[in-house]
Amino acid sequence: MNYILSNANVFMQDKFVKSNVFVKDGIITDISSAVPTTGSVVYDLEGCFVFPGLIDVHTHLREPGFFYKETIQTGTLAAAHGGYTTICAMPNLNPVPDCAETLDPQLEIIRKTACIEVLPYGAITRGEKGMELAAIDELAPHVCAFSDDGRGVQNDEIMRQAMQKIKQFDKIVAAHCEVNELLNGGYIHDGLYCAQHGHKGICSESEWKQIERDLQLVREIGGKYHVCHISTKEGVALIRQAKAEGLSVSCETGPHYLVFCDMDLQEDGRFKMNPPLRSKADRDALIAGILDGTIDMIATDHAPHSAEEKSKGLSGSMMGIVGLETAFPVLYTELVKKGILTLEKLIHLMHTNPSKRFGIGTPLAVGMPANLTVYDLSAQYTIDPADFLSMGKSTPFAGRQVYGKCLLTLYHGAPVWEDASHIQQTTIR
């Protein structure tokens, strides 16, 4: 099927241009004001914005092993609903993808059920237990990067060996940074809210001390290093210094860390994630890091759980919230509409930068696969988890008024999400 996205504001060379996008056999064949041709489905996108499909380098799809929380099918549908066409799937699964044999089941499910591109992570250590290296050589040709996400690698020597081995394959070490001995049973940030409400706190040092250790290893070994879901002002400062030294380091943060702080917490499991929402000073440092380029990208850390698992308040609920379907509208509303970021900068954070760093995704350009998304940025609505395509419904953004509705997502030229109630199409015969 051929498609024409007409009268749209198209993201081209770092700016938006009023144009038509022509798609034939899955490929973008032209971006111009040319007249639509016969034999095409035409979407009239007057007033809407077309940009390259978003990329999320940190998604939990839960399959294989935990399909009652999410499946690759439901997770990729949710991603398409949010404008994503490439997502990277974290390895805390059952079985953990720590060798070719345990990666194969995940790859097979992706082939059969994913509606967009899913690139798996390989585990850094066997079973993500931090005791011995995974079969890095077997995994490297098939994974986007390596991570033990959900757990920090506690043993310094194991992390050194991992960096040395993974460097041989020119892959990224994506680190969940957490010092277990500093956690002390905590489950929210060790700040004012924690003290006022009698909770157990997670100190900031538990994150930044492991970043500090890892950066020293990068200085010794080299290689590509990436920090997952950074949340502390100290962590931002450490990454900024490492970049100034010329180290090959990058990091991500999540939408929730840029919008909320610990004083926004409620006694509800939908506000519980790891790392936790931290102080206003930490949030301000994250925004400063976004603005000066210290923080390279925004990832969702989409982490669905069952309703029961998220129903036990801050102390008893599982860590993790969903984010694929709310990330762009929340960030557009809170950062772009408020003048903190430009729309172009937001697209760089959610597409261009992760694409360049991880070597994934495709630009919106003639001759490239039509992996793109369409947003009506004037559409205002209230976030309602009942509308999610994800099996996970737990989000701190429930009930929040946002701007930006995803109307259409194409993957290799085929619609994988379409909001039929807000978008019109005609066929030219």
Side-chain angles (χ1 to χ4, degrees), residues 1 26 40 74 92 224 230 284 294 302 309 406 414 418-419:
M1 183 68 71
S40 298
T74 61
N92 50 345
K224 297 176 180 178
I230 196 168
D284 291 346
T294 299
H302 177 85
E309 289 170 332
C406 184
E418 181 178 339
D419 188 340

Side-chain angles (χ1 to χ4, degrees), residues 339-411:
I340 298 170
L341 291 182
T342 64
L343 176 58
E344 292 83 357
K345 173 73 169 178
L346 182 59
I347 293 171
H348 286 314
L349 290 163
M350 300 185 76
H351 169 81
T352 314
N353 295 354
S355 177
K356 289 179 178 178
R357 179 60 170 168
F358 281 74
I360 59 179
T362 56
L364 201 170
V366 173
M368 300 302 296
N371 299 331
L372 53 84
T373 189
V374 177
Y375 262 86
D376 178 358
L377 298 181
S378 66
Q380 184 180 20
Y381 61 100
T382 301
I383 292 176
D384 182 355
D387 297 331
F388 292 171
L389 301 184
S390 171
M391 291 168 62
K393 309 298 181 185
S394 185
T395 171
F397 296 111
R400 201 173 187 91
Q401 289 279 320
V402 293
Y403 287 87
K405 181 175 284 290
C406 184
L407 302 186
L408 179 70
T409 301
L410 298 185
Y411 178 63

Side-chain angles (χ1 to χ4, degrees), residues 166-194:
I166 293 167
K167 179 185 176 183
Q168 296 175 16
F169 297 94
D170 196 33
K171 292 287 186 177
I172 290 173
V173 175
H176 175 115
C177 291
E178 190 171 47
V179 180
N180 289 351
E181 65 182 19
L182 295 177
L183 297 178
N184 298 316
Y187 46 85
I188 65 170
H189 176 60
D190 189 14
L192 182 57
Y193 185 94
C194 182

Side-chain angles (χ1 to χ4, degrees), residues 82-160:
Y84 290 90
T85 55
T86 297
I87 57 178
C88 301
M90 284 299 178
N92 50 345
L93 302 168
N94 185 17
V96 171
D98 56 13
C99 65
E101 182 180 1
T102 53
L103 177 63
D104 281 346
Q106 184 185 7
L107 292 175
E108 182 64 17
I109 300 169
I110 291 169
R111 282 191 289 267
K112 288 181 177 179
T113 67
C115 70
I116 62 168
E117 183 175 38
V118 178
L119 303 171
Y121 275 85
I124 293 173
T125 65
R126 293 277 185 182
E128 288 196 322
K129 295 180 179 179
M131 303 299 292
E132 59 178 319
L133 291 188
I136 305 297
D137 52 344
E138 294 181 14
L139 295 168
H142 309 290
V143 301
C144 61
F146 289 87
S147 183
D148 269 7
D149 188 64
R151 301 185 176 109
V153 178
Q154 304 301 305
N155 185 288
D156 297 358
E157 182 55 31
I158 292 293
M159 193 57 160
R160 177 179 284 104

Side-chain angles (χ1 to χ4, degrees), residues 5 10 12 29 109 166 216 256 269 309 313 316 320 335 360 398:
L5 313 184
V10 183
M12 296 178 63
T29 58
I109 300 169
I166 293 167
Q216 186 54 43
H256 37 292
E309 289 170 332
L335 299 182
I360 59 179

